[in-house]
Amino acid sequence: MPIPSRAELTDHLARTRIAGDVATPRDNNLAHYRALANGDRHYWLGLELGDRWTDEQDVLAVMAERCGVIDDPAHRFGQDTIDPELTVDALDRMAERLRKAVADTESVLVATGHPGGLLDVHRRTADALRAAGCEIITVPAGLRADEGNVVQFAGVAVLEHGASLWHTHSPAPMAAILDGLEREGRPQPDLVLADHGWAGCAGGRGLDAIGYADCNDPALFLGEAEGSLLVTVPLDDNVPDPRHYDPLTEYLLGAAGLRG
């Protein structure tokens, strides 16, 4: 697949609803913003937000700025949006950090809580980083979290239960990996590429963390605003056909100098 231009990618993102008019309804987004502001840690995704985001309107303002949701607080139901231009801007920032990882031959931990949508995006990025000389960290054996096994599939850490890969927002699997590395006397990763609570936990522990987030997962965008995450890429993280993410991956790898 050729590397798409910026214009080609933004058009593709809108046509496939990875961005643009996304499937996540407005009322679901606002309910999650409210729950985060009310202190529900499930929505903090492993970050420690304290009492800094107790007004859901402040959360909405950040989401409008960094994700592109509709900024009108009176819009309570119906369609909501992700700005594809913001998606590509964030991919460019992510690519810049990946370039640094390659230049410094860094160790990188790659993980996903959304294997149904993003596993192949992460796998291909991990493969490209490894080929460019980065160490893709092997997670310690025998780790457990949230009644599942923390395992690695094609270089990507995931939560497995009963031979199925689990969708999870929990920070516990990432905490299990980082604690396991410490127990084994191994260094922490130079960079974490992830999503959901996997990225939030890493950023909350002071590691360089970059990742992806949907418009109903505001915590990672707040983390980016505060500096605990370096990059949060806005996108629908589970469109019906995972192959729709392929042009996005091609663009990212091309911008990072990781193609060929």
Side-chain angles (χ1 to χ4, degrees), residues 6 66 84-96 210-212 221 224 230-234 251-252:
R6 181 187 181 101
R66 293 180 178 268
E85 296 288 347
L86 293 179
T87 303
V88 181
D89 286 345
L91 287 170
D92 287 339
R93 297 195 303 275
M94 179 179 279
E96 183 178 355
I210 56 179
Y212 302 94
F221 295 98
E224 184 184 33
L230 299 181
V231 181
T232 300
V233 178
Y251 181 91
L252 174 65

Side-chain angles (χ1 to χ4, degrees), residues 148-236:
N149 300 308
V150 182
V151 298
Q152 206 158 18
F153 183 78
V156 184
V158 292
L159 185 65
E160 181 269 340
H161 181 80
S164 297
L165 304 185
W166 272 15
H167 169 220
T168 177
H169 288 71
S170 172
M174 178 59 75
I177 294 173
L178 299 179
D179 292 345
L181 292 172
E182 184 176 7
R183 283 194 304 272
E184 292 184 356
R186 296 165 58 190
Q188 298 289 287
D190 297 314
L191 177 66
V192 173
L193 169 60
D195 48 62
H196 287 179
W198 303 76
C201 175
R205 292 198 180 196
L207 300 174
D208 277 10
I210 56 179
Y212 302 94
D214 208 330
C215 55
N216 62 354
D217 292 326
L220 298 190
F221 295 98
L222 301 182
E224 184 184 33
E226 292 190 331
S228 52
L229 268 84
L230 299 181
V231 181
T232 300
V233 178
L235 82 180
D236 185 319

Side-chain angles (χ1 to χ4, degrees), residues 21-260:
D21 291 341
V22 293
T24 308
R26 176 66 166 194
D27 55 305
N28 180 266
N29 283 343
L30 295 182
H32 287 203
Y33 305 169
R34 186 178 311 113
L36 179 147
N38 288 338
D40 186 336
R41 285 179 172 266
H42 173 77
Y43 296 96
W44 289 16
L45 301 183
L47 292 167
E48 287 299 325
L49 300 177
D51 59 0
R52 300 184 298 279
W53 299 98
T54 56
D55 186 336
E56 67 180 278
Q57 300 308 319
D58 292 339
V59 179
L60 174 61
V62 170
M63 293 302 293
E65 175 188 12
R66 293 180 178 268
C67 183
V69 302
I70 296 167
D71 62 1
D72 180 5
H75 178 57
R76 310 297 297 178
F77 298 95
Q79 184 65 56
D80 213 340
T81 57
I82 293 175
D83 186 342
E85 296 288 347
L86 293 179
T87 303
V88 181
D89 286 345
L91 287 170
D92 287 339
R93 297 195 303 275
M94 179 179 279
E96 183 178 355
R97 183 60 185 84
L98 294 178
R99 281 183 175 272
K100 180 181 185 302
V102 171
D104 296 343
T105 58
E106 291 182 341
S107 62
V108 184
L109 176 60
V110 184
T112 186
H114 228 308
L118 298 179
L119 179 60
D120 206 47
V121 177
H122 287 296
R123 177 196 63 81
R124 293 188 57 209
T125 308
D127 286 347
L129 288 169
R130 184 187 292 108
C134 289
E135 175 196 358
I136 301 302
I137 287 182
T138 300
V139 304
L143 297 180
R144 300 263 312 162
D146 297 331
E147 301 181 355
N149 300 308
V150 182
V151 298
Q152 206 158 18
F153 183 78
V156 184
V158 292
L159 185 65
E160 181 269 340
H161 181 80
S164 297
L165 304 185
W166 272 15
H167 169 220
T168 177
H169 288 71
S170 172
M174 178 59 75
I177 294 173
L178 299 179
D179 292 345
L181 292 172
E182 184 176 7
R183 283 194 304 272
E184 292 184 356
R186 296 165 58 190
Q188 298 289 287
D190 297 314
L191 177 66
V192 173
L193 169 60
D195 48 62
H196 287 179
W198 303 76
C201 175
R205 292 198 180 196
L207 300 174
D208 277 10
I210 56 179
Y212 302 94
D214 208 330
C215 55
N216 62 354
D217 292 326
L220 298 190
F221 295 98
L222 301 182
E224 184 184 33
E226 292 190 331
S228 52
L229 268 84
L230 299 181
V231 181
T232 300
V233 178
L235 82 180
D236 185 319
D237 54 17
N238 194 36
V239 295
D241 187 347
R243 291 172 295 184
H244 288 330
Y245 296 107
D246 288 350
L248 178 152
T249 308
E250 295 295 339
Y251 181 91
L252 174 65
L253 297 182
L258 291 170
R259 276 282 305 266

